[in-house]
Amino acid sequence: MTAQPVLIGPVPLLYVQNLTMTEGYQIQRIADSKFSQALAPTRKAIAIEAMLLGRERLLLKKSLEVLALNSRLLVAATARTLAVTGIPVVCGLTISLDMQITDLRFTQNVQKRDAIDVSISLEHVPRGKASALAGEIADLALAAGTAMFGGAAAPSALPAVPSVPL
């Protein structure tokens, strides 16, 4: 069984080691009551740790750097839909539109010469109500489809340290 890639915009990450999604909610006290309730999500962040392997690793690294640029025009030139929606993140945990890369960290070491470790932090930056609604509908469809058709996720077969050819 092969693992599904995590897509950061048009960039596929095939060897994701860890993915964390954090959501924050606005809490407001109900008038003349001792009760409070969550009104609306206020913050969504996704953190991804992955490995870039093979001959394409430097191309993938450069693609992530281009996506992280602040200029929406340059990002939009990379993929036309990004001018309207931001960077979509598609994985088994969520479909999140309107994301922006806030931090990239690349690491290479002597034990894994043919790999680059990458840590990516993304923050939800809404572009408009229509894209926010589309993202929520896509996320709901993912949850419903997983509940209906998916089972337990199989563990990754990726070894902890890739072999280095001598």
Side-chain angles (χ1 to χ4, degrees), residues 21 39-40 47 57 73 96 103 109-111 123-124 148 155 160:
M21 186 169 78
L39 294 179
R57 67 185 179 274
L73 294 175
S96 296
D103 188 51
N109 61 46
V110 73
Q111 288 86 13
E123 190 82 28
H124 185 243
M148 187 175 287

Side-chain angles (χ1 to χ4, degrees), residues 40-110:
T42 58
R43 180 176 184 265
K44 181 190 276 188
I46 298 174
I48 301 170
E49 294 179 23
M51 286 195 313
L52 307 178
L53 295 174
R55 286 184 242 165
E56 307 84 28
R57 67 185 179 274
L58 294 175
L59 291 174
L60 291 170
K61 175 186 172 287
K62 187 50 71 181
S63 297
L64 289 170
E65 290 172 340
V66 167
L67 282 176
L69 290 175
N70 290 329
S71 169
R72 283 180 61 191
L73 294 175
L74 186 54
V75 173
T78 306
R80 297 194 134 194
T81 59
L82 299 183
V84 178
T85 64
I87 300 171
V89 176
V90 180
C91 61
L93 183 61
T94 185
I95 296 175
S96 296
L97 305 179
D98 295 336
M99 301 301 288
Q100 182 64 48
I101 296 173
T102 58
D103 188 51
L104 276 175
R105 186 179 70 228
F106 298 102
T107 307
Q108 192 170 30
N109 61 46
V110 73

Side-chain angles (χ1 to χ4, degrees), residues 23-26 39-43 136:
E23 295 178 329
Y25 296 90
Q26 177 183 354
L39 294 179
T42 58
R43 180 176 184 265
E136 289 302 318

Side-chain angles (χ1 to χ4, degrees), residues 126-147:
R127 305 262 196 248
K129 290 182 181 182
S131 65
L133 181 61
E136 289 302 318
I137 290 171
D139 203 28
L140 182 61
L142 173 69
T146 301

Side-chain angles (χ1 to χ4, degrees), residues 1-3 153-154 157:
M1 175 179 261
T2 61

Side-chain angles (χ1 to χ4, degrees), residues 8-32:
I8 309 295
V11 180
L13 299 177
L14 301 176
Y15 303 99
V16 173
Q17 306 300 303
N18 191 28
L19 188 139
T20 305
M21 186 169 78
T22 305
E23 295 178 329
Y25 296 90
Q26 177 183 354
I27 306 295
Q28 186 158 353
R29 194 163 179 93
I30 298 173
D32 297 329

